[in-house]
Amino acid sequence: MGKHEKLARQFSALPTEWQNWLEENLKRGCPPLDLVNILQREGLIQLEPDDLADTPAASRPEQLYAPTVTDEQTQSVRILNHQQQKWLAQAVLDGSDLTDIYQSLQQQGCTESTIAQALTRLHQHPYFQIAREQHFLVRKRNWLLNTLDRFARLNPAYLQVQRIPCPSFGQFIRHYYSRNLPVIFTDSVSHWPALKTWSPQYFKDTVGSQQIEVQCNREQDPMFERNSIQHKTRMQMNEFVELVERAQHSNNFYMTANNAKASQSSLAVLFNDLDHFHGYTDHSQRDDRSFIWFGPKGTFTPLHHDLTNNILVQIYGRKKVTLIPALQVPYLYNDVAVFSQVADPHQTDLTASFPDFAQSSKIECILEPGEALFIPLGWWHCVESLDISISVSFTHFKIDNGGAEFFPSSSHC
């Protein structure tokens, strides 16, 4: 079989989508040898070193052996700028229609030849080849999460949070902890002295002169939770209690888990009011892995997920917690670490900017004093104080609660 016939057969045997790709890029002036190299790299054709030698140029795809563009021709074509190259890479990864890609870039002044050559260089670049592989893996995992979430919704209990008396530790592990399902325990801390004594006045009387750390000036920063380090402020507990009691409704100041380490020694006496939790926890770790939340009506923690399993115990006042299942992460615009671009899932007109968010499921629950909510690792949640509120969260379960130590960090070399 002659080399021309061999090439022709290989080109005619290409899958339809690759034949269409080949014809489209030829029409747009893409260098033929570059296209041949792409097909060979993808394993769609096999060439010997001399297969393209002494072969006349022609217009049909199966006779693709025209000489490549010269260095002078390449230099005469305007290169896409940095932003256009990034946009092109993302568009190709997302499977955007080739016609739409050309139209968009042509509207920015790019020629067909420039775009065709940019596409060829993109497909040949080893960085893009790695990106394409990783993009596929992300899409595959999103497919798996979406499918599992769809099947989970067949059970009505998946989108409900049960309210039950506190079960044994073994039952809790079997039915909730190991299944990554939230649950509310009613009357869970009736034996805690804190439930009977804690209040703003009690804090003032007990640790009023102690220096504590809180978050301040949150309302001036839409990204206050992500920038929490910048909002750390020290003051006496007396001063903070007065701020809380004067506020009718505010998210401007709040004592949160982010302040726990700095305030731990100052608030040590308060932890004596926290008793055991039905054999769920290692009580020796209570002081290190329990966190006090204290603020006025209106404090708000934006949508996020935690890196460990948590129990949130409501001591004073009420809180509204909105939960979204962990499996629904593909819809939640997770851009940085544990945060979503959707800070408040109750905001109106969200789908205009975040259309996929419409596919998520919001589960709302109100925590009354004495109730405890188990928030599984990965479940998205935001929290709003409906009154002056004091809560305690903890993570020191007597079972594997690893997660934070394995969480991937962003790498920007």
Side-chain angles (χ1 to χ4, degrees):
M1 182 188 302
K3 61 183 179 182
H4 296 173
E5 184 180 356
K6 177 182 175 183
L7 283 172
R9 287 193 176 186
Q10 291 195 71
F11 288 129
S12 62
L14 288 172
T16 302
E17 63 270 21
W18 280 99
Q19 289 187 10
N20 293 339
W21 171 86
L22 185 58
E23 292 181 5
E24 181 70 24
N25 281 286
L26 278 171
K27 291 176 183 177
R28 296 187 180 280
C30 191
L33 285 179
D34 288 347
L35 299 179
V36 169
N37 290 333
I38 292 174
L39 293 172
Q40 188 174 19
R41 190 195 67 235
E42 295 291 334
L44 295 166
I45 61 173
Q46 295 181 350
L47 298 178
E48 299 299 330
D50 63 343
D51 277 351
L52 297 180
D54 303 321
T55 305
S59 60
R60 293 178 54 80
E62 61 267 25
Q63 296 173 314
L64 184 66
Y65 18 73
T68 189
V69 292
T70 64
D71 291 341
E72 291 78 9
Q73 288 174 310
T74 300
Q75 291 170 5
S76 69
V77 176
R78 188 170 67 85
I79 304 294
L80 301 189
N81 64 38
H82 182 68
Q83 285 302 116
Q84 289 170 334
Q85 291 180 50
K86 288 180 62 177
W87 179 89
L88 178 61
Q90 188 64 59
V92 173
L93 288 174
D94 291 340
S96 299
D97 184 79
L98 196 59
T99 301
D100 293 338
I101 290 175
Y102 271 90
Q103 287 179 349
S104 180
L105 290 174
Q106 284 175 322
Q107 289 171 1
Q108 300 175 45
C110 302
T111 65
E112 284 197 5
S113 180
T114 297
I115 300 167
Q117 293 190 47
L119 280 165
T120 301
R121 285 192 296 269
L122 177 68
H123 282 287
Q124 292 178 326
H125 202 292
Y127 291 169
F128 180 77
Q129 293 166 17
I130 291 293
R132 184 171 52 195
E133 293 171 3
Q134 295 303 310
H135 189 261
F136 169 75
L137 291 177
V138 171
R139 287 172 55 211
K140 178 181 176 181
R141 289 170 189 173
N142 283 349
W143 163 83
L144 178 60
L145 292 171
N146 293 341
T147 305
L148 293 175
D149 177 66
R150 192 176 76 250
F151 291 155
R153 296 185 200 214
L154 298 176
N155 181 357
Y158 175 58
L159 299 181
Q160 300 171 2
V161 179
Q162 291 183 301
R163 308 181 84 97
I164 62 173
C166 210
S168 70
F169 184 52
Q171 290 175 319
F172 166 62
I173 296 300
R174 283 194 298 274
H175 297 295
Y176 302 100
Y177 195 97
S178 64
R179 296 183 180 182
N180 197 243
L181 292 174
V183 63
I184 293 175
F185 302 135
T186 56
D187 298 322
S188 61
V189 292
S190 56
H191 58 294
W192 282 17
L195 186 61
K196 303 177 180 65
T197 59
W198 279 17
S199 68
Q201 185 61 47
Y202 179 80
F203 281 8
K204 186 184 290 187
D205 295 341
T206 307
V207 291
S209 62
Q210 294 292 326
Q211 284 283 322
I212 60 169
E213 182 183 275
V214 298
Q215 305 284 326
C216 281
N217 301 316
R218 289 155 53 101
E219 293 180 347
Q220 300 174 15
D221 180 5
M223 310 288 277
F224 60 86
E225 191 68 21
R226 303 184 187 211
N227 300 330
S228 61
I229 293 176
Q230 302 173 23
H231 295 280
K232 291 184 176 183
T233 305
R234 295 194 66 82
M235 63 176 66
Q236 284 193 343
M237 176 64 85
N238 280 331
E239 299 175 74
F240 187 64
V241 170
E242 289 175 7
L243 283 175
V244 169
E245 292 183 323
R246 284 201 306 266
Q248 296 296 311
H249 185 284
S250 178
N251 187 37
N252 206 36
F253 37 86
Y254 196 13
M255 177 192 291
T256 76
N258 287 326
N259 306 118
K261 186 173 182 180
S263 300
Q264 186 178 38
S265 60
S266 302
L267 303 179
V269 64
L270 296 179
F271 289 102
N272 295 328
D273 297 330
L274 310 180
D275 209 335
H276 66 86
F277 195 86
H278 308 278
Y280 287 26
T281 58
D282 177 357
H283 204 56
S284 67
Q285 298 185 54
R286 178 196 63 187
D287 294 6
D288 291 329
R289 295 178 63 183
S290 298
F291 312 98
I292 297 175
W293 305 74
F294 173 36
K297 175 181 179 179
T299 53
F300 180 75
T301 302
L303 192 64
H304 69 289
H305 71 83
D306 294 324
L307 303 180
T308 56
N309 295 288
N310 292 264
I311 283 185
L312 175 65
V313 182
Q314 192 60 20
I315 304 294
Y316 184 92
R318 299 169 302 147
K319 275 185 170 170
K320 181 175 79 170
V321 183
T322 302
L323 297 159
I324 299 177
L327 290 176
Q328 296 183 5
V329 63
Y331 312 135
L332 297 184
Y333 297 89
N334 179 197
D335 59 337
V336 174
V338 300
F339 299 108
S340 169
Q341 295 179 60
V342 180
D344 182 358
H346 303 288
Q347 183 181 338
T348 58
D349 299 326
L350 275 176
T351 54
S353 300
F354 308 105
D356 290 346
F357 188 74
Q359 300 182 63
S360 66
S361 305
K362 299 189 292 289
I363 309 168
E364 296 182 13
C365 49
I366 306 297
L367 282 186
E368 303 283 348
E371 294 185 329
L373 170 64
F374 171 59
I375 305 176
L377 182 153
W379 272 66
W380 293 78
H381 55 285
C382 62
V383 185
E384 179 185 0
S385 296
L386 303 179
D387 310 296
I388 291 177
S389 173
I390 304 174
S391 314
V392 173
S393 61
F394 62 79
T395 63
H396 53 297
F397 296 99
K398 291 194 305 185
I399 200 168
D400 180 14
N401 196 16
E405 61 270 39
F406 306 116
F407 188 72
S409 59
S410 298
S411 57
H412 298 288
C413 297

